Amino acid sequence: MIKNDPIGAAIKDYLHGKRKGSITVSCNLTEDDIIPVDYLFRQQEEMPELETIALQECRGHVLDIGAGAGCHSLLLQERGLQVTALDISEGAVEAMRERGIEQVLLGDVNELKDQKYDTLLMLMNGIGIVGDLFGLYKFLVHAKTILNPGGQILLESSDILYMYEEEDGSVLLDLNAGYYGEVEYNMKYKTHESGNFKWLFIDAGLLEQYAEEHGFSFEVLYEGENGNYLAKLVLQA
């Protein structure tokens, strides 16, 4: 397997009995975060409320973008929905097929053509894959080409402005550095390392502006305690 697929390598190890692994996530804003691999295999009762609400909102043919180990796709499939799991990780795609997900695609959502969906599902801060605000613009333009009329995007993101707060409560931003929610990550698992990649966290107010400019209605379905939220964007006629 290629050495820059930490997620895929971790998922395949777990699936084949190596259950104690973890993925190290480095960020240019804060200290490293550790993700236990078993979290990617969580069952319905282990999912946070935000994810439970999102799965209840899914309808029609669902595209699970960045599906990982497929925990959401499996649940939707069990509920009788038509679901396609999409990931750029070869290891993740192999593992999801092994787990019994019927429709699995390897690739980038922005390269999908000639397919139509009713729901685009983007959990675990899933809209972050667009990388930056320009990437969000491009994604929303493309999303309209793969959504059926009245189709929806269910996405999780976070407002990370709190990460720039000083001790006195003031916020210090470098106005020349671009939008504060554009961050850089690197992931490591054993000998596998992703290399640096961009990830977007967007506040709900700005996301609403982008959504409406591209012909989507906007609604926040859930707000968490740490700035994270679930949004529903519906393509207008």
Side-chain angles (χ1 to χ4, degrees), residues 91-106:
V93 164
E94 291 171 14
M96 286 191 286
R97 288 177 176 146
E98 201 173 325
R99 297 188 77 196
I101 298 174
E102 294 168 5
Q103 298 180 56
V104 184
L105 291 176
L106 172 67

Side-chain angles (χ1 to χ4, degrees), residues 99-216:
R99 297 188 77 196
I101 298 174
E102 294 168 5
Q103 298 180 56
V104 184
L105 291 176
L106 172 67
D108 183 331
V109 64
N110 283 323
E111 295 174 2
L112 287 184
K113 296 178 181 178
D114 306 319
Q115 292 123 319
K116 294 284 187 179
Y117 303 94
D118 301 291
T119 301
L120 306 183
L121 182 64
M122 309 177 80
L123 293 178
M124 291 191 73
N125 278 301
I127 193 61
I129 64 167
V130 302
D132 54 26
L133 292 178
F134 182 62
L136 176 63
Y137 164 82
K138 291 194 296 183
F139 169 73
L140 291 174
V141 170
H142 178 66
K144 291 188 283 188
T145 71
I146 60 172
L147 279 171
N148 283 319
Q152 63 178 354
I153 305 172
L154 298 170
L155 66 87
E156 179 183 357
S157 192
S158 301
D159 184 352
I160 61 168
L161 187 62
Y162 69 91
M163 297 182 73
Y164 296 86
E165 284 185 2
E166 301 292 302
E167 290 184 3
D168 62 1
S170 63
V171 175
L172 184 63
L173 291 175
D174 180 357
L175 299 179
N176 296 315
Y179 177 60
Y180 66 82
E182 297 173 347
V183 302
E184 196 168 271
Y185 276 126
N186 183 32
M187 286 187 177
K188 296 179 184 178
Y189 173 76
K190 294 184 176 178
T191 61
H192 299 261
E193 184 169 354
S194 66
N196 291 344
F197 60 93
K198 294 191 292 184
W199 196 262
L200 177 67
F201 294 92
I202 184 167
D203 68 277
L206 185 55
L207 179 57
E208 182 174 13
Q209 289 180 37
Y210 271 77
E212 292 179 348
E213 285 171 5
H214 288 83
F216 291 88

Side-chain angles (χ1 to χ4, degrees), residues 62-80:
V62 181
L63 180 66
D64 184 5
I65 300 170
C71 62
H72 302 121
S73 290
L74 277 172
L75 270 176
L76 293 171
Q77 186 172 286
E78 289 169 5
R79 294 177 185 180

